[in-house]
Amino acid sequence: GGSIFVPSGGTILCFVFGFLRGIAGAWSDFLIGMTVIEFSRLQVQFLPSLSNSPGGNNNNSNSKRSDYVSYEHVVSVNTAQSSTAKNVGSFLASIGAYFFFFARNNRELGEKVANTLILGTAGIFFLASLASLKYQCHVGKLIA
């Protein structure tokens, strides 16, 4: 969103905004990863563990080993679901942008409309980051 404030010939400032955008994107991916790990830790507490499976410490002859899950399995499934949701969201956003710009023949945008779209998109990412931080704080309180 900050690129709309770059004056003509502001190449260095454009690189600075690009670098900051990269850091912001990496930060949101880091928070998603941390949330997946914490959610998986909470989730695995409510699932049968491998230590209670046949062949584990507690032999229960009514169950099969495949009925039990490990922490690694839960993290793997949650990571895959998180990545899939992120990719589906990006795909839907791309389709929406396609219909906005090309299907409606809106190829020429005024400066005001372009700036509003850029700032609106930045605002959505900002609100998503705030929601992620709030959720991370909530999970931290649950674990503590």
Side-chain angles (χ1 to χ4, degrees):
S3 59
I4 64 173
F5 301 113
V6 176
S8 294
T11 307
I12 300 295
L13 192 56
C14 194
F15 279 109
V16 169
F17 281 131
F19 177 75
L20 292 175
R21 183 183 183 280
I23 290 174
W27 180 250
S28 67
D29 286 341
F30 173 74
L31 287 178
I32 288 171
M34 293 302 296
T35 302
V36 165
I37 290 170
E38 294 300 326
F39 178 72
S40 297
R41 282 188 188 157
L42 290 173
Q43 187 179 17
V44 81
Q45 293 175 0
F46 299 105
L47 297 173
S49 68
L50 284 173
S51 63
N52 294 328
S53 68
N57 296 336
N58 183 6
N59 272 336
N60 183 353
S61 59
N62 296 336
S63 299
K64 300 178 295 196
R65 186 168 175 85
S66 62
D67 291 338
Y68 297 89
V69 295
S70 67
Y71 169 73
E72 290 80 12
H73 175 76
V74 172
V75 170
S76 156
V77 168
N78 288 337
T79 301
Q81 289 175 349
S82 170
S83 296
T84 301
K86 182 179 176 182
N87 291 335
V88 167
S90 295
F91 179 67
L92 292 175
S94 297
I95 290 173
Y98 169 78
F99 281 114
F100 182 80
F101 288 110
F102 295 111
R104 295 184 49 207
N105 292 324
N106 260 347
R107 296 197 177 143
E108 291 186 28
L109 294 176
E111 183 179 339
K112 195 172 196 177
V113 174
N115 288 345
T116 302
L117 287 172
I118 290 172
L119 287 175
T121 303
I124 290 170
F125 283 124
F126 180 71
L127 291 176
S129 296
L130 290 178
S132 177
L133 284 172
K134 183 176 179 182
Y135 180 77
Q136 184 69 22
C137 291
H138 176 69
V139 169
K141 289 178 185 175
L142 286 176
I143 292 174

